[in-house]
């Protein structure tokens, strides 16, 4: 790839995406929504579940909210021999079924005018040549200005092939002043070595500032609210440190099993699927220092700095645990265990539950363990961050007065029931002095009239705007694998994971991680 080609495909100054200048508006005012400039989106794997359930509905919702340009174009690439009209019919059904906002015919008609389908396979030069021709045609027909993002909603093994064909057929090169970007879905590799290989493959075609690694959790409103909660309020900063925080628990629990995903999930497991990306990113947002501003460079610098200060708590045999769900009761339904799921290898050692302990070696967090856990077929579906505070050094109460008093906690509910809960002790009404835990609750659904946009809405728009704040850079990905790889290597030598009953909160070994220090997992 020539330097000239790099320059053309990465014209990232951002002026082509700016909102039209208004002399009465302060350009620093970010309260008004930013609208994408002339552009198009190419989706590889357009008939897959992610595209049907999330990407196409998110594009429609952006159009419905007036955040896409009139000439926006959506190009699907796949094996099916569809006409443009047949692809439009497929996309229409996806939008009607899964869109967050009401379906409006006038919005759909405008969006459908820019829908195109290109038939081809990932190893087919002719398909990519047709794609290059379609991109040029849309530049003239729809006014995309040659600006395109390529969304790789495909298995990571296919990334090298697709990137190579995009490059050799000229799809990554646009006219002067235009941009070409690539969006990569997780997992970002299988371990540190493969993550580095993947970064090299993509980096040979796209510059790092044109690579957008999607972690959809970072697009959730409640995750972004961590930054507002911490840095817009003086209330929490004085106690956000080891002097006051006892430990932090970050949980992503699912109440569903693998279902039809057995073939995809076997060999990946809960740690690779969730901890390496979602939970370690949440931990970085909780533990990072205040950035100088909210630019992408400043946010990424602070996240990288805290990850570089983080290590696994040792020994791994006492600070990490894994499990596989067995049959049990999920509510009123009796469900099968993992090894009984259709299409799953009964001898598989892939974990459906994983928990690890991290330590941050800096002045703020020294001595505070960060417990990260995730699992399937657990007690309920919930993702939360619980900052557990130290107990008061002295309680001037009789023990019977405070026997129902637990630790103070600040709980950030990422999903469902998005919001924040502060737990503290309060006197029970009556003549006796009895102190019991109570909750002070903030709920998004009650405090704001507008519903939160889907994560993919925010992230797709940010890709089109060239706004990289919510996308991990290669260094963050590699640091995450450095934390996880030693755990995975140890588990590979230990045989079968511990069983836990469906509908419970995981294997006994996970409880023992915290019990060794007199702590216990929260039951959300």
């Amino acid at each position: 790839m020539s330097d000239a080609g790099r320059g053309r495909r990465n014209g990232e100054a951002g002026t082509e995406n700016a909102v039209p200048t208004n002399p009465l508006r302060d350009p620093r005012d970010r309260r008004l929504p930013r609208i994408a400039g002339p552009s198009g989106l190419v989706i590889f794997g357009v008939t897959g579940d992610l595209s049907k359930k999330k990407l196409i509905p998110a594009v429609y919702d952006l159009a419905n909210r007036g955040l896409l340009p009139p000439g926006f174009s959506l190009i699907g690439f796949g094996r099916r021999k569809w006409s443009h009209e047949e692809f439009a019919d497929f996309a229409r059904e996806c939008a009607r079924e899964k869109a967050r906002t009401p379906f409006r015919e006038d919005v759909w008609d405008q969006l459908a005018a820019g829908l195109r389908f290109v038939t081809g396979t990932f190893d087919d030069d002719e398909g990519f040549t047709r794609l290059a021709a379609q991109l040029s045609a849309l530049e003239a027909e729809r006014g995309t200005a040659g600006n395109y993002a390529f969304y790789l909603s495909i298995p990571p093994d296919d990334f090298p092939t697709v990137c190579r064909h995009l490059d050799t057929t000229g799809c990554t090169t646009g006219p002067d002043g235009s941009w070409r970007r690539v969006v990569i879905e997780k997992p970002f590799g299988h371990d540190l070595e493969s993550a580095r290989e993947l970064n090299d493959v993509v980096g040979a075609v796209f510059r790092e500032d044109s690579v957008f690694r999607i972690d959809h959790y970072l697009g959730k409103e409640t995750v972004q609210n961590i930054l507002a909660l911490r840095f817009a309020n003086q209330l929490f900063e004085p106690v956000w440190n080891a002097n006051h925080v006892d430990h932090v628990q970050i949980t992503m629990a699912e109440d569903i099993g693998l279902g039809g995903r057995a073939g995809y999930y076997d060999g990946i497991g809960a740690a690779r699927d969730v901890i390496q990306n979602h939970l370690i990113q949440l931990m970085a947002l909780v533990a990072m220092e205040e950035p100088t501003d909210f630019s992408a460079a400043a946010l990424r610098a602070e996240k990288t700095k805290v990850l570089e200060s983080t290590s696994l708590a040792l020994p791994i045999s006492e600070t990490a645990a894994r499990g596989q769900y067995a049959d049990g009761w999920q509510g009123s339904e009796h469900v099968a265990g993992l090894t009984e799921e259709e299409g799953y290898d009964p001898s598989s050692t892939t974990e459906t539950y994983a928990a690890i302990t991290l330590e941050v070696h800096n002045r703020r967090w020294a001595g505070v363990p960060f417990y990260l856990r995730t699992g399937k077929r657990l007690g309920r579906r919930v993702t939360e961050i619980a900052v557990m505070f130290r107990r008061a050094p002295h309680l001037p109460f009789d023990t019977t007065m405070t026997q129902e008093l637990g630790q103070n906690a600040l709980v950030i509910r990422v999903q469902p029931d998005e919001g924040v809960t502060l737990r503290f002790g309060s006197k029970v009404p009556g003549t006796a002095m009895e102190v019991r835990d109570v909750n002070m609750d903030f709920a998004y659904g009650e405090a704001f009239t507008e519903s939160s946009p889907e994560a993919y809405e925010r992230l797709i728009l940010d890709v089109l705007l060239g706004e990289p704040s919510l996308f991990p850079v290669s260094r963050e990905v590699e640091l995450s694998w450095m934390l996880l790889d030693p755990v995975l290597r140890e588990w590979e030598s230990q045989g079968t994971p511990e069983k836990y009953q469906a509908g419970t909160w995981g294997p006994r070994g996970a409880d023992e991680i915290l019990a060794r220090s007199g702590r216990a997992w929260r039951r959300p």
Side-chain angles (χ1 to χ4, degrees), residues 67-386:
L67 299 178
L68 296 180
F72 177 81
S73 299
L74 175 64
I75 305 98
F77 185 98
R79 291 191 184 93
R80 303 191 187 187
K81 299 185 184 302
W82 276 345
S83 65
H84 300 323
E85 292 73 21
E86 288 172 319
F87 175 55
D89 290 341
F90 164 80
R92 178 190 176 92
E93 287 307 306
C94 296
R96 286 187 68 94
E97 185 176 345
K98 296 293 184 180
R100 179 181 63 89
T101 58
F103 190 84
R104 294 166 48 199
E105 290 293 344
D106 58 331
V107 172
W108 176 255
D109 289 343
Q110 180 172 322
L111 184 61
L115 265 57
R116 302 289 187 273
F117 189 80
V118 176
T119 300
T121 60
F122 298 156
D123 57 356
D124 172 23
D125 257 342
E126 291 184 6
F128 284 85
T129 300
R130 288 192 292 271
L131 175 62
Q134 187 62 254
L135 299 183
S136 297
L138 286 169
E139 184 182 337
E141 296 170 17
R142 302 280 296 169
T144 61
N147 299 321
Y148 294 103
F150 303 99
Y151 200 120
L152 306 189
S153 179
I154 58 179
D157 290 347
D158 292 322
F159 289 173
T161 303
V162 171
C163 286
R164 184 173 66 250
H165 281 84
L166 284 172
D167 198 32
T168 57
T169 55
C171 290
T172 56
T173 303
D176 289 341
S178 66
W179 51 258
R180 302 288 164 102
R181 298 170 185 147
V182 64
V183 185
I184 301 174
E185 270 286 345
K186 74 173 187 69
F188 311 124
H190 191 76
D191 53 19
L192 177 60
E193 181 180 359
S194 61
R196 285 174 169 164
E197 291 174 357
L198 177 58
N199 286 335
D200 289 343
V201 164
V202 177
V205 178
F206 294 92
R207 248 176 26 190
E208 177 64 21
D209 58 5
S210 294
V211 180
F212 290 73
R213 297 168 184 83
I214 286 263
D215 184 339
H216 71 272
Y217 259 62
L218 299 185
K220 291 181 179 291
E221 286 288 335
T222 39
V223 172
Q224 297 166 50
N225 192 44
I226 297 171
L227 300 175
L229 190 75
R230 289 193 56 194
F231 304 127
N233 301 292
Q234 181 63 18
L235 176 63
F236 302 110
E237 177 60 23
V239 297
W240 209 265
N241 53 59
N243 294 328
H244 301 279
V245 175
D246 178 73
H247 68 281
V248 178
Q249 298 182 23
I250 303 179
T251 299
M252 178 182 165
E254 296 181 274
D255 56 5
I256 59 172
L258 288 184
R261 298 178 67 224
Y264 160 79
Y265 199 82
D266 196 11
I268 295 179
R272 287 186 174 96
D273 191 38
V274 175
I275 291 181
Q276 183 273 331
N277 38 76
H278 301 331
L279 299 195
I280 289 180
Q281 282 289 320
L282 293 181
M283 173 264 177
L285 292 172
V286 171
M288 63 184 266
E289 294 298 318
E290 181 178 353
T292 54
D293 54 47
F294 283 122
S295 66
L299 285 170
R300 288 166 161 181
E302 294 304 333
K303 283 198 295 176
T304 300
K305 191 186 301 181
V306 78
L307 290 175
E308 288 175 337
S309 303
T310 303
S311 70
L312 280 168
L314 300 175
I316 293 172
S317 60
E318 296 181 3
T319 61
R322 62 174 178 158
Q324 284 183 345
Y325 64 82
D327 69 305
W329 289 91
Q330 198 84 52
S332 60
E333 179 186 4
H334 188 268
V335 296
L338 172 71
T339 55
E340 300 155 11
E341 296 261 16
E342 184 178 350
Y344 212 85
D345 181 0
S347 63
S348 172
T349 59
T350 301
E351 80 283 352
T352 59
Y353 179 100
I356 66 172
T357 310
L358 299 178
E359 298 174 332
V360 182
H361 303 285
N362 60 24
R363 185 179 293 272
R364 181 186 290 269
W365 295 113
V368 177
F370 284 73
Y371 300 108
L372 280 56
R373 64 171 170 170
T374 183
K376 295 186 178 296
R377 288 288 184 214
L378 298 182
R380 60 168 296 204
R381 173 179 172 264
V382 63
T383 300
E384 68 170 32
I385 301 162

Side-chain angles (χ1 to χ4, degrees), residues 11-25:
E12 301 290 357
T15 55
E16 74 278 6
N17 280 328
V19 177
T21 303
N22 181 344
L24 301 178
R25 180 190 168 198

Side-chain angles (χ1 to χ4, degrees), residues 7-85:
R8 283 194 299 274
R9 77 189 56 165
N10 289 296
E12 301 290 357
T15 55
E16 74 278 6
N17 280 328
V19 177
T21 303
N22 181 344
L24 301 178
R25 180 190 168 198
D26 185 336
R28 296 169 298 177
D29 188 346
R30 300 176 69 106
R31 290 172 296 179
L32 296 177
R34 292 175 297 163
I35 302 171
S39 55
L41 179 67
V42 182
I43 301 179
F44 292 89
V46 74
T47 58
D49 275 356
L50 178 65
S51 177
K52 290 190 290 187
K53 296 177 180 178
K54 296 294 184 181
L55 304 185
I56 292 174
V59 168
Y60 169 80
D61 286 329
L62 287 172
N64 206 8
R65 294 166 60 202
L67 299 178
L68 296 180
F72 177 81
S73 299
L74 175 64
I75 305 98
F77 185 98
R79 291 191 184 93
R80 303 191 187 187
K81 299 185 184 302
W82 276 345
S83 65
H84 300 323
E85 292 73 21

